[in-house]
Amino acid sequence: MAIDDTLKLKIQLLCGDEIAMGPGKADLLEAIVAHGSISAAARAMDMSYRRAWLLVDAMNRCWSAPLVETSPGRAKSGGARLSEAGRRVLDRYRHLQAALDATAHGDLLDGLARELRDAPKAHAAD
Amino acid sequence: MAIDDTLKLKIQLLCGDEIAMGPGKADLLEAIVAHGSISAAARAMDMSYRRAWLLVDAMNRCWSAPLVETSPGRAKSGGARLSEAGRRVLDRYRHLQAALDATAHGDLLDGLARELRDAPKAHAAD
């Protein structure tokens, strides 16, 4: 089957028991850049405001400097932007992802993908 | 914080919507090698026999050749071993994992880890 449909790579950075960065948090940071507020980013990702706020809160507690800066006033209606640290961490995370993707897509993955069926066989009788 | 506690890398190989190989399935294959049956491997991994059987069934349906061979007779009491394909796929998956780990543990991860706190800050007042 096609190599690009074969591999799923999930890269998480941990701070104690918390996930400091991962695929969902990185996408949320990009949505905040694109939409200018946590609530608009949440809407664009079809996520509740509360969930987006919790992800931002976790990121801001895990890194030395907050990744997301919110305007003073009511958080929900105010704007949000990435701090310098936020832009740097997001950029490095995407680079790490690209480096791992490039490493994966070589002989080892080819060898594995060749042995995969295009689709799973039907369930064996239980 | 220590680099080794920082990165969590999850590598999944997909066959359609099924996970053909991933961390849990690879560990199960190793437990089958070590313990010689699906039920003993499940016990060693503190997993129900049914769950282990479902993971083996998914693997056997996703790859061109079954990865696990079971002795004839009642599946639950009989022995199980890896097929040649099973040993090859497991070996390649572990190599892929090692290659990605080696790629990750360089400057990019160092740069990210330096900015992580040792532990998350306490929750902000909600």
Side-chain angles (χ1 to χ4, degrees):
Chain A
M1 65 189 298
I3 293 261
D4 282 346
D5 301 334
T6 298
L7 180 71
K8 192 169 164 192
L9 208 56
K10 186 174 179 181
I11 304 166
Q12 294 179 325
L13 297 169
L14 305 181
C15 173
D17 294 333
E18 290 259 20
I19 299 164
M21 188 55 59
K25 290 189 171 78
D27 289 348
L28 178 59
L29 291 184
E30 276 167 5
I32 288 171
V33 171
H35 299 282
S37 75
I38 297 177
S39 55
R43 264 196 308 277
M45 293 181 70
D46 205 14
M47 181 188 280
S48 70
Y49 171 76
R50 171 150 183 87
R51 168 135 181 85
W53 186 89
L54 286 171
L55 294 179
V56 168
D57 182 58
M59 287 189 271
N60 281 355
R61 289 183 298 102
C62 284
W63 298 88
S64 325
L67 303 193
V68 176
E69 292 167 342
T70 47
S71 309
R74 287 177 57 82
K76 191 159 180 172
S77 55
R81 57 196 287 278
L82 301 204
S83 66
E84 198 186 306
R87 292 192 299 273
R88 192 170 55 233
V89 165
L90 176 61
D91 190 58
R92 283 184 171 154
Y93 178 81
R94 292 303 189 202
H95 272 84
L96 181 60
Q97 228 172 5
L100 293 180
D101 263 333
T103 299
H105 286 87
D107 292 348
L108 277 167
L109 186 57
D110 288 350
L112 281 161
R114 248 196 314 272
E115 301 203 46
L116 276 174
R117 291 176 185 276
D118 286 330
K121 270 171 58 175
H123 272 280
D126 196 355
Chain B
M1 65 188 299
I3 293 262
D4 282 347
D5 301 333
T6 298
L7 181 72
K8 192 168 164 194
L9 210 55
K10 187 175 180 181
I11 305 165
Q12 294 179 324
L13 297 168
L14 305 180
C15 173
D17 293 334
E18 290 259 20
I19 299 164
M21 188 55 59
K25 290 189 170 80
D27 288 349
L28 178 60
L29 291 184
E30 276 168 5
I32 289 171
V33 171
H35 299 283
S37 75
I38 296 175
S39 54
R43 264 196 307 278
M45 291 180 72
D46 204 14
M47 183 188 280
S48 71
Y49 171 76
R50 170 150 184 88
R51 170 137 180 84
W53 185 90
L54 286 171
L55 294 179
V56 167
D57 182 59
M59 287 188 272
N60 281 357
R61 290 182 298 101
C62 284
W63 298 89
S64 324
L67 303 192
V68 176
E69 292 167 343
T70 48
S71 310
R74 288 175 57 82
K76 190 158 180 173
S77 56
R81 55 196 288 277
L82 300 205
S83 66
E84 198 186 307
R87 291 192 297 274
R88 192 170 54 235
V89 166
L90 176 60
D91 190 56
R92 284 184 171 153
Y93 178 80
R94 291 305 190 200
H95 272 84
L96 182 61
Q97 229 173 4
L100 293 180
D101 262 334
T103 300
H105 286 87
D107 291 347
L108 276 167
L109 187 57
D110 288 351
L112 282 161
R114 248 195 314 271
E115 301 203 46
L116 277 173
R117 291 177 184 275
D118 287 329
K121 271 170 58 175
H123 271 281
D126 197 356

